[in-house]
Amino acid sequence: MFSLTPGLVAVICAFILWIFDRKRREPQARAEAHPRVEEDLKDSTDLQQVEEDADDLEESEESVEHIPFLHTRYSEKEMVKRSQEFYELLNKRRSIRFISNEQVPMEVIDNVIKTAGTAPSGAHTEPWTFVVVKDPAVKHQIREVIEEEEEINYMKRMGHRWVADLRKLRTNWIKDYLDTAPVLILIFKQVHGFTANGKKKVHYYNEISVSIACGILLAALQNAGLVTVTTTPLNCGPRLRMLLGRPTHEKLLMLLPVGYPSKEATVPHFTRKPLDQIMVTV
């Protein structure tokens, strides 16, 4: 008959304690390996959310008129020329943190945001809101919120490796461009929408859809001769949303300071990966 000796009991107890200690350390290890993700940025398009809200949702339209698609086709020579010129234009795009206070034409801002609004979206829900801030007092309030949180991010939340990786960019929590840029564009994702009768409307893949719109916006700004730097203010979303009077179903995804580069603007001397490192042909 099997019996437990004092030595075997000690081994089993030590093994159990080791398992519990390992479980206790796992969340901390994961937190150190992955920077803190702001709750306000989490995507709310998963199926569980949709099922939970099903009673409040409006049934989608059963039919939409389909019309002929009008397409402009270019010769192969023209296609190559246009694609090369567009690549060369966007290859000049850089993240600029030195932005002049010179005013920009608002018609240009209107046009680039209309361009961003042409982005594809899940079920054509268009889940984006672009908030354009020109008021100097509001811009400064935005800067105060961001710098307060960013100092904490750099000192505590981001971790040593992240901070070290940013040193070559010569960036820190001081964001002068939030005051000097003539325009700030804050892009919010709408985790759901509302129909005319107040029912919730599901916004599928809202974060992916808005991210695509942001990419198109960056291209449109470059095409217009303006500069920006993509910023994702960590842990600032809720405060900035309330400051700008946006509803709770909108979550801040990105902030773009927009303007002309200042005369003293510099950029890191980076190169981009060649085609054979970013494209795979099957």
Side-chain angles (χ1 to χ4, degrees):
M1 185 176 178
F2 179 76
S3 61
L4 294 175
T5 65
L8 183 57
V9 170
V11 170
I12 293 173
C13 289
F15 180 69
I16 292 173
L17 288 172
W18 177 78
I19 290 177
F20 276 106
D21 183 65
R22 184 179 180 184
K23 292 291 184 182
R24 180 180 62 83
R25 291 174 181 271
E26 280 181 357
Q28 180 180 354
R30 284 196 296 268
E32 292 174 353
H34 302 283
R36 176 179 172 181
V37 177
E38 181 180 349
E39 290 291 326
D40 213 39
L41 277 178
K42 290 185 177 178
D43 202 323
S44 302
T45 57
D46 56 46
L47 292 178
Q48 181 178 359
Q49 164 104 20
V50 173
E51 290 172 358
E52 288 175 354
D53 294 342
D55 293 339
D56 297 327
L57 295 175
E58 176 75 2
E59 292 186 7
S60 61
E61 298 170 306
E62 293 184 359
S63 63
V64 174
E65 180 186 7
H66 284 223
I67 59 176
F69 173 61
L70 301 178
H71 175 63
T72 301
R73 179 162 178 165
Y74 304 104
S75 67
E76 289 191 13
K77 182 178 180 180
E78 180 67 13
M79 290 169 63
V80 171
K81 177 176 178 290
R82 291 170 66 92
S83 63
Q84 179 65 27
E85 288 175 348
F86 191 65
Y87 159 69
E88 290 174 359
L89 172 67
L90 291 192
N91 194 39
K92 296 175 183 177
R93 187 208 58 78
R94 299 299 304 267
S95 296
I96 304 297
R97 294 172 172 82
F98 305 92
I99 300 178
S100 165
N101 61 4
E102 182 181 353
Q103 295 301 304
V104 300
M106 274 308 296
E107 186 177 0
V108 174
I109 301 301
D110 293 346
N111 287 337
V112 297
I113 290 179
K114 284 192 295 184
T115 303
T118 68
S121 59
H124 193 60
T125 52
E126 301 174 295
W128 38 68
T129 301
F130 300 89
V131 179
V132 176
V133 179
K134 296 181 62 181
D135 186 299
V138 178
K139 287 194 298 177
H140 190 68
Q141 287 179 284
I142 290 172
R143 178 181 179 178
E144 289 179 329
V145 170
I146 290 178
E147 289 187 344
E148 179 183 330
E149 291 291 342
E150 280 285 82
E151 183 174 7
I152 301 173
N153 293 335
Y154 273 80
M155 302 303 293
K156 296 180 180 179
R157 296 176 181 138
M158 289 163 54
H160 296 299
R161 175 167 294 182
W162 191 351
V163 173
D165 286 342
L166 289 174
R167 286 198 188 106
K168 60 179 175 287
L169 302 179
R170 300 179 186 174
T171 181
N172 54 38
W173 60 84
I174 305 300
K175 312 294 183 185
D176 293 331
Y177 52 74
L178 294 174
D179 271 327
T180 60
V183 171
L184 304 182
I185 303 176
L186 291 89
I187 302 101
F188 289 81
K189 66 174 189 176
Q190 304 167 4
V191 296
H192 64 78
F194 293 97
T195 61
N197 62 6
K199 289 279 189 178
K200 283 185 180 179
K201 181 179 180 181
V202 180
H203 282 175
Y204 307 97
Y205 301 108
N206 55 72
E207 186 160 323
I208 294 175
S209 300
V210 180
S211 297
I212 295 171
C214 289
I216 294 176
L217 178 56
L218 291 173
L221 289 168
Q222 176 70 9
N223 181 63
L226 297 175
V227 300
T228 187
V229 55
T230 54
T231 68
T232 51
L234 188 65
N235 295 294
C236 300
R239 292 173 65 186
L240 294 179
R241 175 179 57 76
M242 288 187 288
L243 173 64
L244 297 172
R246 303 311 306 163
T248 57
H249 69 282
E250 293 187 3
K251 313 296 182 184
L252 181 62
L253 187 69
M254 189 175 294
L255 185 156
L256 301 177
V258 174
Y260 301 106
S262 63
K263 293 180 180 179
E264 66 274 13
T266 61
V267 294
H269 185 49
F270 286 153
T271 58
R272 293 187 164 96
K273 292 180 179 180
L275 184 62
D276 61 5
Q277 291 185 22
I278 65 173
M279 184 178 79
V280 176
T281 303
V282 179

